[in-house]
Amino acid sequence: MLLLLALTACSGQAPSPAPSAGSTGPAASATAAPSASAPTAATPAGPGELRFAKIGEFDKPVAFAVRKGDDRLYVAEQTGRLRTSAGDTVIDLSGEVSSGNEQGLLGVAFHPSGRWVYLDWTDAQGDTHVTEWAYDGSEATARRDVLTQEQPFANHNGGQLAFGPDGHLYIALGDGGGAGDPLGNGQNLGTLLGKILRIDPRGDPYTIPKDNPFAGEKGAKGEIWAYGLRNPWRFTFDRESGDLWIGDVGQNEWEEVDHQPAGSEGGENYGWSLREGKERFHGGKGGDLTEPVIVYPLGEDGNCSVIAGPVYRGTKIPWLRGRFLYGDFCAGWIKAAPVDGPVDALDEAAEVGEVEQLSSFGEGHDGELYALSLQGPLYRIEPA
């Protein structure tokens, strides 16, 4: 089953069973638990209720994007198509993508100008491509590969694409797969695997920004922005603060969320595979490891894979403003953590809803939020 292993942590043993694609879909509404603190003085103290309104049906939707000057929502299907909420198929790679558990079409992002669209996908050999098309709102043309990366194993491909507040394209690549990072890619600055990259994709084939932390450093890949990551399936930028939030899928014991504040010069080492969550894994030591801000136990109550979402900056759900949303693929819960309080209190997030086989979140032009289920639905998140 596509992606069921992609979003479940793996070890040397067989992965824990994930929910069946034929199981019952997510509830139409969810009631949140009370919270003891507010993200800002102007925000109500406790969470209220969220409703998940189904607005579309797709074939294994895994990624979401919006385009400047365009009211349509764009959804990437793992099986290879980029489709819109209006029913249009913009790009069809279904005859080219690999179809393993952690492979396929995995990410989508539009250039800030809206003139180009970028897809992250794995080919028939399982290797990663970041590919660009010129796009006028009706037809995608002038296809070219921006970046390719050989993959030693079929799992841990990452796949997230997003343009940051600085206008550069950020790309998530997992550690290349295998249990326990057998090739040591997470801590190796000589490979792009196990990293978040930062490039200008409009170069030939792309340009490395001169202020990247390892640009020009001997033995290091200049594209690297952050490292020490296992499988950063989803990351998001806070549209108001510019902070970066990374959900890194765990190995044996812990799921984690990592945080990079706006203004960072990059180069953070998030610890994998020296560490899983906050615990030692291979050695556990390293210079200046950046601690995760949220950890939760893998396997407990069905937990298997963290899905990072946005910080809510919309207007329709006042109590949700300033809260970071994240969820778990297998367990299905969604939690909201206030980001304006102490960092060490982020683990005390309130559960605010549930979506079975949650694969990703989305954010509209207006800051309102969406949730995707691998079972097919696209939901708009609304006040109850």
Side-chain angles (χ1 to χ4, degrees):
M1 186 181 303
L2 295 179
L3 202 68
L4 289 183
L5 296 182
L7 293 178
T8 54
C10 65
S11 65
Q13 305 299 318
S16 300
S20 167
S23 57
T24 306
S29 63
T31 302
S35 173
S37 61
T40 65
T43 305
E49 297 180 357
L50 293 179
R51 185 169 74 96
F52 295 83
K54 181 178 174 179
I55 61 170
E57 185 78 23
F58 295 84
D59 184 12
K60 297 181 173 64
V62 292
F64 177 104
V66 292
R67 174 175 175 263
K68 182 180 179 181
D70 191 334
D71 292 335
R72 293 172 294 178
L73 310 175
Y74 288 78
V75 175
E77 299 175 329
Q78 192 195 4
T79 47
R81 293 187 300 173
L82 177 65
R83 297 178 58 206
T84 75
S85 54
D88 311 305
T89 297
V90 177
I91 297 169
D92 188 350
L93 294 174
S94 57
E96 300 182 54
V97 300
S98 45
S99 58
N101 286 316
E102 303 198 23
Q103 299 171 328
L105 175 55
L106 304 176
V108 57
F110 282 93
H111 190 275
S113 68
R115 294 176 58 192
W116 296 280
V117 59
Y118 298 86
L119 298 183
D120 185 299
W121 58 287
T122 58
D123 65 19
Q125 288 71 48
D127 296 329
T128 291
H129 296 251
V130 176
T131 305
E132 174 195 88
W133 285 261
Y135 183 57
D136 62 3
S138 59
E139 186 178 10
T141 59
R143 170 179 172 172
R144 71 180 184 97
D145 267 359
V146 173
L147 181 146
T148 59
Q149 172 62 49
E150 291 185 6
Q151 294 285 358
F153 300 97
N155 55 345
H156 304 181
N157 294 303
Q160 176 73 354
L161 299 176
F163 280 88
D166 55 12
H168 292 310
L169 179 62
Y170 290 73
I171 303 164
L173 283 170
D175 65 9
D181 193 10
L183 302 180
N185 289 326
Q187 294 297 312
N188 180 5
L189 293 177
T191 176
L192 302 181
L193 296 171
K195 315 297 191 297
I196 289 179
L197 315 180
R198 177 182 183 248
I199 64 170
D200 176 357
R202 294 298 303 147
D204 184 19
Y206 60 86
T207 301
I208 296 173
K210 294 181 179 179
D211 60 347
N212 271 11
F214 304 106
E217 182 174 316
K218 186 178 180 179
K221 296 288 188 181
E223 297 93 333
I224 295 171
W225 180 252
Y227 67 110
L229 295 156
R230 181 179 179 274
N231 191 19
W233 167 248
R234 289 293 171 253
F235 65 79
T236 63
F237 287 95
D238 183 337
R239 64 192 296 157
E240 191 169 288
S241 72
D243 288 3
L244 175 61
W245 297 84
I246 307 162
D248 196 17
V249 178
Q251 169 77 30
N252 294 327
E253 302 291 339
W254 300 100
E255 298 297 302
E256 72 177 71
V257 174
D258 299 306
H259 173 249
Q260 184 190 81
S264 167
E265 296 180 353
E268 283 88 345
N269 180 356
Y270 291 108
W272 178 254
S273 59
L274 299 173
R275 189 180 61 199
E276 180 190 17
K278 297 182 179 181
E279 304 298 325
R280 290 190 175 198
F281 190 78
H282 287 164
K285 296 181 180 179
D288 300 321
L289 299 186
T290 301
E291 291 277 318
V293 294
I294 296 173
V295 295
Y296 67 88
L298 194 160
E300 183 177 297
D301 299 324
N303 295 335
C304 75
S305 298
V306 64
I307 310 293
V311 175
Y312 180 65
R313 300 297 184 183
T315 60
K316 294 182 179 179
I317 315 174
W319 64 263
L320 194 59
R321 273 193 59 83
R323 294 177 189 261
F324 165 69
L325 265 66
Y326 66 102
D328 188 88
F329 172 71
C330 290
W333 50 255
I334 294 173
K335 294 184 179 182
V339 302
D340 298 326
V343 172
D344 59 5
L346 287 172
D347 280 332
E348 302 173 8
E351 189 167 331
V352 295
E354 183 175 347
V355 168
E356 288 190 14
Q357 294 190 20
L358 174 73
S359 61
S360 193
F361 291 91
E363 185 177 18
H365 289 299
D366 57 1
E368 301 305 323
L369 302 184
Y370 300 82
L372 285 69
S373 165
L374 192 65
Q375 292 181 339
L378 167 64
Y379 296 99
R380 184 172 54 233
I381 300 177
E382 301 177 342

